[in-house]
Short mmCIF file of all heavy atoms in Angstrom, two decimals:
data_model
loop_
_atom_site.label_atom_id
_atom_site.label_comp_id
_atom_site.label_asym_id
_atom_site.label_seq_id
_atom_site.Cartn_x
_atom_site.Cartn_y
_atom_site.Cartn_z
N TYR A 290 -41.08 -33.80 32.78
CA TYR A 290 -39.93 -34.14 33.62
C TYR A 290 -40.15 -33.57 35.03
O TYR A 290 -40.78 -32.53 35.18
CB TYR A 290 -38.64 -33.53 33.04
CG TYR A 290 -38.27 -34.09 31.69
CD1 TYR A 290 -38.69 -33.46 30.53
CD2 TYR A 290 -37.51 -35.26 31.59
CE1 TYR A 290 -38.37 -33.99 29.27
CE2 TYR A 290 -37.18 -35.78 30.35
CZ TYR A 290 -37.61 -35.15 29.19
OH TYR A 290 -37.30 -35.67 27.97
N PRO A 291 -39.61 -34.25 36.06
CA PRO A 291 -39.70 -33.67 37.41
C PRO A 291 -38.91 -32.35 37.46
O PRO A 291 -37.93 -32.17 36.71
CB PRO A 291 -39.06 -34.73 38.31
CG PRO A 291 -38.34 -35.67 37.41
CD PRO A 291 -38.94 -35.57 36.05
N ASP A 292 -39.33 -31.46 38.35
CA ASP A 292 -38.70 -30.13 38.44
C ASP A 292 -37.18 -30.21 38.61
O ASP A 292 -36.45 -29.39 38.06
CB ASP A 292 -39.29 -29.34 39.62
CG ASP A 292 -40.65 -28.77 39.24
OD1 ASP A 292 -41.02 -28.92 38.05
OD2 ASP A 292 -41.32 -28.20 40.11
N ASP A 293 -36.70 -31.17 39.39
CA ASP A 293 -35.27 -31.18 39.68
C ASP A 293 -34.45 -31.76 38.53
O ASP A 293 -33.25 -31.99 38.65
CB ASP A 293 -34.97 -31.93 40.98
CG ASP A 293 -35.48 -33.36 40.95
OD1 ASP A 293 -36.07 -33.76 39.92
OD2 ASP A 293 -35.30 -34.08 41.95
N LYS A 294 -35.13 -32.03 37.40
CA LYS A 294 -34.40 -32.52 36.22
C LYS A 294 -34.47 -31.51 35.07
O LYS A 294 -34.22 -31.84 33.92
CB LYS A 294 -35.01 -33.87 35.75
CG LYS A 294 -34.76 -35.02 36.72
CD LYS A 294 -33.32 -35.52 36.58
CE LYS A 294 -32.94 -36.55 37.62
NZ LYS A 294 -32.20 -35.96 38.75
N VAL A 295 -34.83 -30.27 35.41
CA VAL A 295 -35.06 -29.28 34.35
C VAL A 295 -34.26 -28.00 34.60
O VAL A 295 -34.15 -27.54 35.73
CB VAL A 295 -36.56 -28.91 34.28
CG1 VAL A 295 -36.80 -27.85 33.21
CG2 VAL A 295 -37.41 -30.13 34.00
N VAL A 296 -33.70 -27.45 33.52
CA VAL A 296 -33.15 -26.09 33.55
C VAL A 296 -33.81 -25.32 32.42
O VAL A 296 -33.92 -25.82 31.30
CB VAL A 296 -31.63 -26.07 33.28
CG1 VAL A 296 -31.11 -24.64 33.31
CG2 VAL A 296 -30.90 -26.90 34.29
N LEU A 297 -34.21 -24.11 32.71
CA LEU A 297 -34.81 -23.27 31.67
C LEU A 297 -33.89 -22.08 31.44
O LEU A 297 -33.53 -21.38 32.39
CB LEU A 297 -36.17 -22.79 32.20
CG LEU A 297 -37.12 -22.16 31.22
CD1 LEU A 297 -37.44 -23.13 30.10
CD2 LEU A 297 -38.40 -21.76 31.93
N ILE A 298 -33.48 -21.87 30.18
CA ILE A 298 -32.68 -20.68 29.86
C ILE A 298 -33.62 -19.70 29.17
O ILE A 298 -34.28 -20.05 28.19
CB ILE A 298 -31.51 -21.02 28.91
CG1 ILE A 298 -30.67 -22.17 29.48
CG2 ILE A 298 -30.63 -19.80 28.70
CD1 ILE A 298 -29.52 -22.60 28.56
N THR A 299 -33.67 -18.48 29.68
CA THR A 299 -34.68 -17.55 29.16
C THR A 299 -34.12 -16.15 28.93
O THR A 299 -33.09 -15.79 29.47
CB THR A 299 -35.90 -17.48 30.13
OG1 THR A 299 -36.68 -16.35 29.80
CG2 THR A 299 -35.46 -17.33 31.56
N THR A 300 -34.82 -15.39 28.12
CA THR A 300 -34.49 -13.97 27.94
C THR A 300 -35.18 -13.18 29.05
O THR A 300 -36.01 -13.72 29.77
CB THR A 300 -35.01 -13.46 26.59
OG1 THR A 300 -36.41 -13.79 26.51
CG2 THR A 300 -34.29 -14.10 25.45
N GLY A 301 -34.87 -11.89 29.14
CA GLY A 301 -35.57 -11.04 30.09
C GLY A 301 -34.74 -10.65 31.29
O GLY A 301 -35.25 -10.17 32.29
N SER A 302 -33.42 -10.83 31.19
CA SER A 302 -32.56 -10.51 32.33
C SER A 302 -32.49 -9.00 32.57
O SER A 302 -31.96 -8.54 33.56
CB SER A 302 -31.15 -11.04 32.09
OG SER A 302 -30.60 -10.41 30.95
N GLN A 303 -33.04 -8.20 31.64
CA GLN A 303 -33.00 -6.74 31.80
C GLN A 303 -34.36 -6.19 32.24
O GLN A 303 -34.60 -4.99 32.20
CB GLN A 303 -32.57 -6.06 30.50
CG GLN A 303 -31.14 -6.36 30.14
CD GLN A 303 -30.18 -5.88 31.20
OE1 GLN A 303 -30.24 -4.74 31.66
NE2 GLN A 303 -29.29 -6.75 31.64
N GLY A 304 -35.28 -7.10 32.61
CA GLY A 304 -36.59 -6.64 33.07
C GLY A 304 -37.47 -6.11 31.95
O GLY A 304 -38.45 -5.42 32.20
N GLU A 305 -37.14 -6.43 30.67
CA GLU A 305 -37.97 -5.94 29.56
C GLU A 305 -39.37 -6.51 29.72
O GLU A 305 -39.56 -7.69 29.94
CB GLU A 305 -37.42 -6.38 28.19
CG GLU A 305 -35.95 -6.18 27.98
CD GLU A 305 -35.11 -7.41 28.31
OE1 GLU A 305 -35.38 -8.07 29.33
OE2 GLU A 305 -34.18 -7.68 27.55
N SER A 306 -40.38 -5.64 29.55
CA SER A 306 -41.73 -6.06 29.92
C SER A 306 -42.26 -7.19 29.05
O SER A 306 -43.06 -7.99 29.49
CB SER A 306 -42.68 -4.86 29.85
OG SER A 306 -42.65 -4.35 28.54
N MET A 307 -41.81 -7.28 27.80
CA MET A 307 -42.37 -8.32 26.94
C MET A 307 -41.51 -9.59 26.90
O MET A 307 -41.88 -10.56 26.26
CB MET A 307 -42.54 -7.79 25.50
CG MET A 307 -43.64 -6.77 25.34
SD MET A 307 -45.12 -7.21 26.26
CE MET A 307 -45.66 -8.66 25.36
N ALA A 308 -40.36 -9.58 27.57
CA ALA A 308 -39.49 -10.75 27.49
C ALA A 308 -40.03 -11.88 28.38
O ALA A 308 -40.86 -11.65 29.26
CB ALA A 308 -38.07 -10.37 27.93
N ALA A 309 -39.54 -13.08 28.10
CA ALA A 309 -40.12 -14.28 28.72
C ALA A 309 -40.15 -14.22 30.25
O ALA A 309 -41.18 -14.51 30.86
CB ALA A 309 -39.34 -15.50 28.25
N LEU A 310 -39.05 -13.81 30.87
CA LEU A 310 -38.99 -13.86 32.33
C LEU A 310 -40.01 -12.90 32.96
O LEU A 310 -40.67 -13.23 33.95
CB LEU A 310 -37.59 -13.52 32.83
CG LEU A 310 -37.42 -13.75 34.34
CD1 LEU A 310 -37.51 -15.23 34.68
CD2 LEU A 310 -36.09 -13.20 34.84
N SER A 311 -40.17 -11.72 32.36
CA SER A 311 -41.13 -10.75 32.91
C SER A 311 -42.55 -11.30 32.77
O SER A 311 -43.39 -11.10 33.65
CB SER A 311 -41.04 -9.42 32.16
OG SER A 311 -39.72 -8.94 32.21
N ARG A 312 -42.80 -12.01 31.68
CA ARG A 312 -44.15 -12.58 31.51
C ARG A 312 -44.38 -13.69 32.53
O ARG A 312 -45.47 -13.82 33.08
CB ARG A 312 -44.33 -13.11 30.08
CG ARG A 312 -44.23 -12.03 29.02
CD ARG A 312 -45.03 -12.36 27.77
NE ARG A 312 -44.73 -13.68 27.23
CZ ARG A 312 -43.79 -13.94 26.34
NH1 ARG A 312 -43.05 -12.95 25.87
NH2 ARG A 312 -43.58 -15.16 25.91
#
Side-chain angles (χ1 to χ4, degrees):
Y290 296 93
D292 282 354
D293 58 0
K294 291 282 173 262
V295 178
V296 180
L297 193 59
I298 307 178
T299 165
T300 52
S302 62
Q303 293 300 310
E305 313 94 318
S306 59
M307 289 318 292
L310 188 67
S311 305
R312 298 208 309 270

